[in-house]
Amino acid sequence: FHDRVRIHVEAGRGGDGAISFRREKFVPKGGPDGGDAGEGGDVVLVADRDLRDLSKFRPNQRFRAQRGASGRGANRHGADGADVELRVPVGTQVLDDDGQLIADLARPESRVVVARGGAGGRGNRRFAGPTRQTPRFAETGLPGEEATLELRLKLLADAALVGLPNAGKSSLLRRLSNAKPKVADY
């Protein structure tokens, strides 16, 4: 049973804009036609009512979203990168490196974006104007966000053992389950 885990998430980088010029047989100077790039994918946490613990996450596991595709000639845009969707149990708290609470996924199907993808670069067609008619440059994509997160599962007890000291609560728990509580005569 795992109720705490530390993971590293990295959103996708945005693609690079294209440098291209329209060239056809009877159009010798057709102008720039480089397309824009796609945005990088996000890392999203989704609360799932079917999960009970965080055992599917290994400690120090890394999750990386897909990079956005670069733009191409003929005003063709690049595709956006695919998002990474991590399913966690209902009642999971998300904390950053400093221990600050980022989100509390208390309801089923609640979502939080923990790392946003980088913006895609613009193609050279976007930089054309009356004074600069043939730009020979384009933007590069921006990097995505990166973070190390701690996931904590808030547990609600299904059953409770209540009794006086030395009544045998720990002995009963040891016999019924695989737990190893400390049993002694206090």
Side-chain angles (χ1 to χ4, degrees):
F1 182 80
H2 296 282
D3 62 347
R4 287 185 184 204
V5 70
R6 199 166 188 79
I7 61 172
H8 184 81
V9 294
E10 187 176 339
R13 181 180 183 85
D16 298 332
I19 300 173
S20 175
F21 295 93
R22 182 174 170 224
R23 297 292 179 250
E24 294 178 19
K25 186 173 182 181
F26 298 109
V27 185
K29 295 183 180 178
D33 69 348
D36 297 341
E39 295 183 359
D42 299 334
V43 179
V44 183
L45 295 178
V46 181
D48 188 355
R49 74 175 64 224
D50 296 332
L51 297 176
R52 295 287 169 227
D53 63 351
L54 298 168
S55 61
K56 74 174 192 171
F57 296 103
R58 292 190 320 261
N60 299 322
Q61 194 170 6
R62 300 177 74 88
F63 296 97
R64 181 178 289 166
Q66 189 178 15
R67 179 187 169 130
S70 295
R72 294 179 292 180
N75 293 324
R76 290 180 291 184
H77 298 303
D80 291 341
D83 295 343
V84 171
E85 204 172 82
L86 303 175
R87 302 197 74 76
V88 296
V90 175
T92 301
Q93 291 181 327
V94 184
L95 291 93
D96 61 4
D97 274 342
D98 301 329
Q100 299 293 323
L101 182 67
I102 296 174
D104 189 0
L105 301 170
R107 292 195 176 93
E109 298 304 318
S110 56
R111 306 168 64 87
V112 63
V113 177
V114 292
R116 294 210 177 274
R122 296 180 291 175
N124 67 339
R125 175 181 58 91
R126 295 287 193 114
F127 298 104
T131 56
R132 185 189 307 135
Q133 295 179 359
T134 57
R136 298 188 185 280
F137 59 90
E139 283 182 337
T140 59
L142 297 177
E145 294 177 354
E146 194 172 340
T148 300
L149 303 173
E150 182 178 353
L151 304 179
R152 289 185 189 168
L153 182 60
K154 294 186 299 185
L155 297 177
L156 297 175
D158 293 328
L161 290 176
V162 180
L164 296 171
N166 292 337
K169 299 180 294 290
S170 298
S171 300
L172 178 66
L173 183 64
R174 184 182 271 273
R175 287 286 208 184
L176 293 177
S177 68
N178 197 19
K180 306 282 189 232
K182 189 169 153 184
V183 177
D185 186 14
Y186 295 108

